Amino acid sequence: MIVYNTLTRRKEELVTVHPGEVRMYSCGPTVYSRAHMGNMRAYIFMDTLRRVIKFNGYKLLGVMNITDVGHLTSDADDGDDKMEKAAKKTGKSPWEIAEHFTKLFFEDTDKLNIERPEIVAKATDHIADMLEFVEALVEKGYGYETSDGIYFDISKFPSYGKLSGNTRLSDNIAGARVDVNDEKRNPADFALWKKAPKEHIMQWDSPWGRSYPGWHIECSTMSRKYLGDTFDIHTGGVDHIPIHHENEIAQSEALLGHPAVHYWMHVEFMQVDGRKMSKSLGNTYTLDELEEKGYSPMDFRYFCLNTHYRKKLNFTFEGMDGAKTAYSRLLALVGACKHAESGTTDPEIIRQFDKAFLDAVSDDLNIPLGLGELWTLLKNPPSRDIYDAAMRADKVLALSIDKCDEKKDDDVPADIRDIAERRFAARKAKNWAESDALRAELAEKGWSVADSKDGYSLKKN
Ligand code: AMP
Ligand code: ZN
C-alpha cells in the first residue's frame, strides 16, 4: 500500500510497526454542534482509508477521539470555550450538549456507512491520563506555568513546525495573533492546561488548582495510551496541520524523545464557493438538510468518493445531482447483474478488474480510479460474476450497492431505465440519430430526460 505522508511531502510505501497490523489515530469531532458535510468528508476519508487497509489484508486497530471539553473558539489557544458557549446559549450542561451531538454524529456516520473505529475515546474520560502527560512535560522542562495555565515552551523543541514546513517561529501567525498573554515566553507557545475561571463549568482538580485540559493534549495522550509510543498513521483535515498537529507532535516527541507517528495523512477541504465549508462562515449543510432536499446518504458518499481526498471538493447541488444520477445508474447496472440470465463472464476480465481495482485504491487511495474500473467492468454484458466482483469492490466503496433491488420513492421503472441507459450509451458514442429516437421513445412513455456533464436525469412528465 502506498500513502502520501504530509510530513515528508511524498508518497511512501506503508511499512507498519507491527507486522500485518496497522495502528491508526484519527482526530474526531468536537461535539458542541452538529457535524456538517465538510466534517463528513473527513470521516468518509478516514473510513475509506480503514477499508483499504483491511482490503489489503491488514489487521486494524483504529482510535478516534471525541472532543467534549476545552475546545476554544479560535483554533489557537484563546477565546471562549465552544462547549461552554453552547451550554450558556441553550441552558443545558456541557455534558448534555456533548452527549446530544455525539449521538447525532454517530447517527449520521452510520447512515453514511462510516464504520466506527475499534476504540472511540472521550476526552472527559481521560482527564487523569492527560494530567499525567502534562506533569511529565513540566518535569522535563517543556512546560511552564503562567497565571492562566501551563504552556508548552516551543523554543525547547527546535523542530517545531516541521509538519507544515513553518519552522520560523515568528511566522506562526496563529500564535502571534494571540497577544493577550504577555507571560508566554514565545508567541506560539500553546496551552497544555488551563486554569478555570469560577464560571467555567467543566473543571477538575490539578496541581495548579481547578482547571481543564488544553485542546491538543487529548490526542497525544489517548493515541499513546491505546496505540503505544510509536504507531503508524494519524489522520485529520488539512486545517489541523499548522497548529493542532504541530502541537501534538511537539507534546508527544518532547515526552518520548522520538517521533510517535510514521505517516501523517490529511484530507483536503470541502468548499462552498471557493471557501472552506465551516460553521463560522455559515455555509454549512447537514445530512438531514440534504435528505430533506431528496439526496440520500449514499448520493453524498458517491459525491465524495468521486474526488481524490487530497483535492479540494466544491460542494454544489449540481454536483450532488450528478452524483445522484451516477449512483442510481450504478445501482441499476449492478441490479441487472444480480438478476442476469448468465452467471459467468470471461474469468480474465474479472481477474483484471480485481487487480486494477486493488492497485488503484492501494495507490494513496485512488478511489476515483477504482470507481472508473468498476464502471468499465459494468459495460460488459451483465452476469453474476460481475455482481460478485462489484460486491468485493463495495467492501472499500461502502456504497451499499447490494441494495440495488430496494425500491426508492423516485424509482424509475426498469424498462424506462433501460431505454435511458441505451440512449446514454448512444450519446457517448455520438450516435445522435439513435439518441434522438430513444428520447422520443421515452417521451412517448411519459418521461423526459435532461443531460448533464457526466450523466443524465429522468423526470416523469
Ligand atoms: P472539528 O469538529 O472542527 O474538529 O472537525 C472535525 C474534522 O473535520 C477535522 O478532521 C477537520 O479537519 C475536518 N473538517 C472541518 N471542516 C472541513 C471541511 N470543510 N472539509 C473537510 N474537512 C473538514
Ligand atoms: Zn486531534
Side-chain angles (χ1 to χ4, degrees):
M1 232 184 115
I2 306 282
V3 294
Y4 181 86
N5 190 350
T6 307
L7 188 64
T8 57
R9 291 165 189 77
R10 56 187 174 80
K11 284 192 191 179
E12 291 174 22
E13 169 123 30
L14 178 69
V15 181
T16 59
V17 176
H18 304 272
E21 183 185 8
V22 173
R23 297 194 180 185
M24 161 169 150
Y25 186 89
S26 303
C27 286
T30 11
V31 284
Y32 61 91
S33 67
R34 185 161 189 159
H36 56 70
M37 301 324 283
N39 302 132
M40 288 306 163
R41 182 186 193 199
Y43 299 111
I44 288 175
F45 156 69
M46 170 193 83
D47 181 64
T48 310
L49 177 58
R50 287 174 50 84
R51 290 172 183 276
V52 170
I53 287 168
K54 290 194 275 184
F55 202 61
N56 274 274
Y58 289 103
K59 217 174 112 194
L60 175 62
L61 178 58
V63 178
M64 183 180 75
N65 63 304
I66 302 280
T67 301
D68 56 354
V69 64
H71 194 330
L72 306 165
T73 305
S74 82
D75 276 345
D77 289 289
D78 199 45
D80 296 331
D81 185 305
K82 286 175 180 170
M83 291 288 307
E84 299 267 328
K85 219 170 145 182
K88 275 172 205 149
K89 221 164 97 184
T90 57
K92 288 189 181 143
S93 80
W95 282 271
E96 285 169 326
I97 289 174
E99 201 189 319
H100 173 69
F101 288 113
T102 303
K103 189 168 161 275
L104 277 183
F105 176 77
F106 284 121
E107 280 173 21
D108 287 351
T109 53
D110 284 351
K111 283 187 182 174
L112 289 161
N113 285 350
I114 296 168
E115 260 177 15
R116 285 181 211 199
E118 287 65 27
I119 296 172
V120 173
K122 284 186 348 187
T124 50
D125 287 341
H126 296 78
I127 300 292
D129 299 310
M130 289 189 238
L131 201 49
E132 210 176 284
F133 202 117
V134 172
E135 287 183 71
L137 283 176
V138 172
E139 215 156 274
K140 285 192 151 202
Y142 288 100
Y144 62 93
E145 186 175 358
T146 72
S147 55
D148 74 346
I150 309 301
Y151 284 81
F152 186 95
D153 184 347
I154 60 164
S155 66
K156 299 257 165 70
F157 187 71
S159 62
Y160 187 84
K162 65 181 169 183
L163 187 65
S164 51
N166 176 14
T167 41
R168 284 177 52 210
L169 302 183
S170 56
D171 286 351
N172 193 321
I173 299 164
R177 263 196 216 134
V178 181
D179 53 3
V180 283
N181 190 341
D182 318 325
E183 298 169 62
K184 286 210 289 191
R185 293 181 190 164
N186 313 284
D189 286 358
F190 58 90
L192 294 164
W193 208 261
K194 299 278 278 186
K195 296 181 184 172
K198 248 207 318 292
E199 67 278 11
H200 200 275
I201 305 162
M202 292 181 131
Q203 44 173 278
W204 291 266
D205 283 327
S206 83
W208 311 285
R210 299 290 287 174
S211 51
Y212 61 99
W215 170 33
H216 318 291
I217 197 68
E218 69 182 79
C219 293
S220 286
T221 304
M222 300 197 286
S223 61
R224 181 177 180 224
K225 174 166 180 154
Y226 295 109
L227 301 175
D229 285 354
T230 316
F231 61 95
D232 304 303
I233 301 177
H234 194 311
T235 72
V238 289
D239 51 337
H240 285 343
I241 299 172
I243 299 172
H244 180 49
H245 288 167
E246 293 291 13
N247 294 353
E248 256 191 77
I249 288 175
Q251 294 167 156
S252 298
E253 283 192 39
L255 185 87
L256 298 166
H258 62 76
V261 178
H262 283 169
Y263 307 91
W264 285 90
M265 296 180 72
H266 294 95
V267 54
E268 253 295 351
F269 285 145
M270 170 159 283
Q271 297 190 316
V272 181
D273 299 329
R275 301 170 82 193
K276 175 189 176 189
M277 183 184 279
S278 75
K279 234 180 117 48
S280 53
L281 290 172
N283 58 4
T284 61
Y285 292 96
T286 56
L287 189 58
D288 55 340
E289 283 167 348
L290 290 193
E291 286 182 300
E292 260 165 45
K293 287 184 188 286
Y295 302 103
S296 73
M298 289 304 99
D299 294 337
F300 181 76
R301 188 166 175 115
Y302 188 97
F303 178 66
C304 288
L305 294 186
N306 213 14
T307 298
H308 190 261
Y309 79 92
R310 282 195 289 120
K311 285 204 179 119
K312 293 187 175 70
L313 173 56
N314 210 29
F315 180 89
T316 61
F317 285 105
E318 214 175 37
M320 281 299 298
D321 287 340
K324 188 181 170 66
T325 309
Y327 180 61
S328 52
R329 283 182 52 224
L330 186 65
L331 287 187
L333 292 173
V334 172
C337 288
K338 192 172 183 179
H339 303 292
E341 306 269 293
S342 154
T344 55
T345 293
D346 179 355
E348 187 53 26
I349 291 178
I350 301 290
R351 204 191 58 78
Q352 272 178 16
F353 165 74
D354 280 336
K355 180 172 186 315
F357 184 82
L358 176 66
D359 287 350
V361 301
S362 307
D363 178 11
D364 191 33
L365 261 57
N366 197 338
I367 308 296
L369 183 60
L371 267 176
E373 298 292 347
L374 181 58
W375 282 110
T376 306
L377 177 71
L378 289 166
K379 280 190 188 142
N380 290 289
S383 78
R384 279 299 298 197
D385 284 347
I386 293 180
Y387 179 77
D388 292 341
M391 289 307 116
R392 288 194 288 280
D394 205 40
K395 289 208 164 72
V396 168
L397 304 172
L399 286 167
S400 294
I401 51 180
D402 58 322
K403 307 246 167 76
C404 48
D405 292 328
E406 276 179 23
K407 275 256 164 267
K408 288 194 285 175
D409 292 342
D410 63 339
D411 227 358
V412 177
D415 60 322
I416 301 295
R417 179 63 71 189
D418 181 58
I419 302 169
E421 274 302 313
R422 281 191 283 132
R423 182 179 167 276
F424 183 70
R427 273 193 87 233
K428 261 195 152 165
K430 300 199 192 314
N431 191 343
W432 308 121
E434 187 177 340
S435 159
D436 286 347
L438 289 165
R439 178 192 284 279
E441 202 179 325
L442 282 171
E444 224 166 80
K445 292 184 186 277
W447 289 77
S448 59
V449 56
D451 295 311
S452 59
K453 208 174 82 221
D454 13 64
Y456 63 87
S457 59
L458 285 163
K459 222 169 90 189
K460 204 164 171 49
N461 296 334

